[in-house]
Amino acid sequence: MGNKSPKPRRAVVPFISPSSQAFFFFFFGLSPEVTILVSFFSSAVSIWDPRIFSLSLCSLSFKSYSFLMILGRKLTGKTMKFLLFMFVGVVHLLPLASGKAIYGNGPSQRTFQEIKEEIAHYGDVAKSIINLTVYGKAQNRSYERLALLVDTVGPRLSGSKNLERAIEIMQQNLKGDGLENVHLEPVKIPHWERGEESAVMLEPRIHKMAILGLGSSIGTPPEGITAEVLVVTSFDELQRRGPDAEGKIVVYNQPYTNYSAAVQYRMEGAVEAAKVGALASLIRSVASFSIYSPHTGIQEYQKGVPKIPTACITVEDAEMMSRMASRGNRIVVQLKMGAKSYPDADSFNTVAEITGSKYPEQVVLVSGHLDSWDVGQGAMDDGGGAFISWEALSLIKDLGLRPKRTLRLVLWTAEEQGGVGSSQYYQLHKANSSNYSLVMESDLGTFLPSGLKFTGSDKARVIMEEVMSLLQPINITQVLKAGDGTDINFWIQDGVPGASLLDDLYKYFSFHHSHGDTMTVMDPKQMNVAAAVWAVVSYVVADLEEMLPRS
């Protein structure tokens, strides 16, 4: 089904070299101007036939140009300039007239219309994939597979026994599914544990607060840290009030406008507080909605800055302390954290493939990360993304399809610690980056997707728009910008096109990195649709005759 439609046959035009044509007409007494013009346009006719395109263009470029120079002595200045202008224009426009100019990375160049027609032939394949996963025997399969894993194993923190067990189970699952080249690629990953933790407001009243220590944070002394609180809403306010922060616990009550803006306080809050002499920091959870739910995540220390304990608190407690401070109340909090870091642990990226039939060395990569934080079940982040990526290969295999390029599934480890597993995968495979046509990562939820986010050249984007048009039966056809992801950004920065699902981010960040990230959040019907999008896009791009063009 991936074969191109037969092209209409072109009329065969007898080929006579431009210099021969010029000699013929000049011999019979035509003027030099007419002689050369006839030579140009007879060349144009011959170039229209692609079978003699290269020979004719070469002949026109060199022999006719030389002939022009010989006759130049007999031509007026204006006439000579006119003919040179005609020569340059014809040489540059003829490739476009032949319909062979704009697409392709290598020697084979194709028009967009030809690529569009090729993609249109995948309509029946796309419908088969959609029918199988949304309405057929594979319906709800990705949901049920995910539920079995997370109910059995639970959350899968980097360096934990749970993550190690999940990787072993997934290796067995992928082999049992009949996928090819199933293997584990070893990596070293961080090992941090939160231990026992608590926070109690002692003044102006007793109030036990819900907290979650942030990843890589140090712990407090066994007796904890008891100190007055300074509430700020921004880094700028912290700088202005720097002298007031010394010896206190800094509480950040930054507003949530979007994730990328708010997450800076989780990542850098401890460092900025330590710079002004704070003893600890508590960060308002980076969440679009809260039901008294703290949201954890990674934070980073900075060389040369003292390390202080740091944790996230609920939106509700951050706002309450902000109101108290605005009234002039003295706020005192006791913080206890048993967090501890251990030597790096052994782990693995989990890999499986459907080997390409024609270009097996070329790759379309689909992925999600298998690790999670140590709260909830890690069902949404990123169990769903990992399992629709597995489902994509399962659907393609079930339909008996084998794309021209290799479809490679990678389930990353230690994504939550900053893409540790994927970074080491990139270092291992980057020498072959020119063979990666597309890298895909699902890590923003598997609710009902509204489209595909894509990063790549303009030429690749219009191709992806045609691919997404195949998903019209489920009304998901948008192609938007910024198809990045923690685990695929290494490849995107190397020029490889990247894609991710566009999902309901408000819902996603309501449960992100919290106790609420469980199977209850997941919807099997929405996962079916997400898996269909993932499978159609990955298969079609892997089966196109040419790789996606790069910038």
Side-chain angles (χ1 to χ4, degrees):
M1 295 180 185
N3 295 331
K4 295 178 288 185
S5 58
K7 301 177 186 176
R9 295 178 61 84
R10 300 179 188 266
V12 177
V13 180
F15 174 68
I16 306 173
S17 73
S19 56
S20 300
Q21 294 160 2
F23 175 78
F24 178 78
F25 287 108
F26 189 63
F27 178 79
F28 282 98
L30 297 179
S31 69
E33 293 93 333
V34 174
T35 298
I36 295 170
L37 286 173
V38 171
S39 176
F40 285 162
F41 287 107
S42 60
S43 295
V45 173
S46 66
I47 289 173
W48 191 267
D49 191 325
R51 287 166 293 183
I52 56 175
F53 172 71
S54 298
L55 176 60
S56 183
L57 183 57
C58 229
S59 179
L60 179 60
S61 300
F62 294 100
K63 295 183 180 179
S64 293
Y65 181 75
S66 300
F67 189 61
L68 260 178
M69 294 298 100
I70 293 170
L71 292 177
R73 284 172 259 168
K74 299 182 180 182
L75 304 178
T76 65
K78 289 184 178 179
T79 304
M80 187 63 189
K81 289 179 181 178
F82 170 75
L83 289 175
L84 283 172
F85 174 80
M86 288 287 294
F87 170 76
V88 173
V90 169
V91 168
H92 283 83
L93 290 175
L94 281 173
L96 295 177
S98 71
K100 292 289 164 187
I102 60 172
Y103 280 86
N105 293 320
S108 174
Q109 295 187 330
R110 308 164 65 206
T111 64
F112 173 64
Q113 183 61 32
E114 289 173 326
I115 296 173
K116 184 176 180 179
E117 291 171 1
E118 179 186 7
I119 293 170
H121 288 162
Y122 290 97
D124 288 342
V125 172
K127 289 177 183 177
S128 296
I129 291 172
I130 291 168
N131 289 337
L132 180 59
T133 185
V134 177
Y135 311 109
K137 67 177 184 178
Q139 185 179 129
N140 301 344
R141 181 170 63 184
S142 59
Y143 175 92
E144 292 165 358
R145 285 171 165 176
L146 174 61
L148 179 59
L149 179 80
V150 301
D151 290 345
T152 302
V153 175
R156 304 165 300 282
L157 183 64
S158 174
S160 68
K161 295 294 184 181
N162 283 11
L163 177 58
E164 182 180 332
R165 186 181 180 198
I167 291 171
E168 292 173 355
I169 291 173
M170 286 307 301
Q171 183 184 25
Q172 296 168 4
N173 287 343
L174 297 174
K175 287 181 177 179
D177 197 31
L179 298 178
E180 301 160 2
N181 299 332
V182 177
H183 65 279
L184 303 179
E185 297 189 0
V187 294
K188 287 286 189 179
I189 62 173
H191 180 193
W192 171 87
E193 296 179 6
R194 71 175 59 256
E196 296 294 323
E197 54 190 18
S198 65
V200 180
M201 185 172 68
L202 303 176
E203 297 181 28
R205 65 179 177 90
I206 302 295
H207 170 62
K208 185 177 181 180
M209 298 192 294
I211 69 165
L212 284 174
L214 294 177
S216 78
S217 175
I218 64 170
T220 65
E223 67 277 12
I225 295 173
T226 301
E228 189 176 344
V229 163
L230 173 70
V231 182
V232 297
T233 58
S234 68
F235 289 138
D236 287 341
E237 183 181 356
L238 178 64
Q239 292 303 312
R240 291 195 305 269
R241 302 177 64 185
D244 299 334
E246 188 169 358
K248 295 181 180 177
I249 296 174
V250 169
V251 170
Y252 292 95
N253 183 37
Q254 77 283 352
Y256 182 89
T257 53
N258 58 63
Y259 182 75
S260 59
V263 77
Q264 297 177 57
Y265 291 88
R266 191 193 77 201
M267 295 290 294
E268 304 167 20
V271 167
E272 295 304 316
K275 287 178 180 178
V276 291
L279 300 179
S281 64
L282 297 173
I283 290 87
R284 169 178 166 153
S285 287
V286 182
S288 51
F289 181 75
S290 177
I291 309 178
Y292 202 69
S293 50
H295 296 239
T296 190
I298 195 67
Q299 67 88 36
E300 294 179 352
Y301 289 122
Q302 185 175 310
K303 188 175 181 180
V305 177
K307 295 181 179 181
I308 61 173
T310 183
C312 60
I313 58 175
T314 67
V315 171
E316 292 86 346
D317 282 340
E319 292 185 342
M320 179 185 69
M321 285 189 282
S322 182
R323 292 192 301 270
M324 289 176 170
S326 69
R327 299 185 192 114
N329 295 135
R330 182 174 185 265
I331 306 169
V332 176
V333 166
Q334 182 187 66
L335 176 67
K336 292 183 178 182
M337 294 176 59
K340 187 176 180 181
S341 292
Y342 297 88
D344 285 354
D346 293 322
S347 188
F348 303 91
N349 292 317
T350 308
V351 182
E353 295 179 342
I354 296 176
T355 307
S357 61
K358 187 174 182 180
Y359 310 113
E361 74 285 357
Q362 296 177 7
V363 175
V364 168
L365 184 147
V366 292
S367 68
H369 66 86
L370 198 56
D371 67 300
S372 72
W373 284 102
D374 55 337
V375 291
Q377 291 183 304
M380 180 192 74
D381 183 18
D382 182 35
F387 274 69
I388 68 162
S389 296
W390 173 19
E391 183 68 11
L393 270 67
S394 287
L395 292 167
I396 291 163
K397 178 188 66 66
D398 289 349
L399 289 169
L401 302 171
R402 183 175 292 276
K404 296 181 181 72
R405 274 168 211 86
T406 295
L407 265 177
R408 180 174 298 163
L409 165 69
V410 183
L411 304 179
W412 310 110
T413 188
E415 184 275 344
E416 297 292 3
Q417 280 61 44
V420 176
S422 57
S423 173
Q424 293 176 58
Y425 176 90
Y426 173 72
Q427 293 301 323
L428 185 63
H429 296 278
K430 66 180 180 180
N432 298 319
S433 66
S434 61
N435 279 330
Y436 282 68
S437 183
L438 178 67
V439 288
M440 302 167 61
E441 178 177 19
S442 174
D443 189 21
L444 289 173
T446 49
F447 308 124
L448 187 64
S450 54
L452 190 78
K453 299 171 72 176
F454 178 76
T455 297
S457 68
D458 291 341
K459 292 177 181 179
R461 178 173 296 278
V462 294
I463 292 173
M464 294 304 294
E465 288 171 353
E466 292 301 316
V467 173
M468 287 299 290
S469 72
L470 299 171
L471 291 156
Q472 185 60 49
I474 52 177
N475 197 30
I476 301 171
T477 59
Q478 288 190 90
V479 177
L480 298 101
K481 295 181 179 180
D484 54 355
T486 299
D487 294 310
I488 60 174
N489 282 344
F490 308 102
W491 299 94
I492 293 173
Q493 291 164 7
D494 208 15
V496 180
S500 59
L501 284 178
L502 177 62
D503 220 312
D504 183 349
L505 296 184
Y506 182 86
K507 183 177 181 180
Y508 180 77
F509 288 116
S510 296
F511 299 99
H512 182 248
H513 295 182
S514 76
H515 288 287
D517 182 358
T518 68
M519 283 305 298
T520 302
V521 178
M522 310 303 289
D523 183 318
K525 293 181 179 179
Q526 293 180 348
M527 281 191 73
N528 293 338
V529 174
V533 173
W534 222 224
V536 169
V537 171
S538 60
Y539 175 76
V540 173
V541 174
D543 199 53
L544 291 176
E545 186 57 36
E546 295 179 356
M547 293 174 63
L548 292 178
R550 301 190 183 182
S551 300

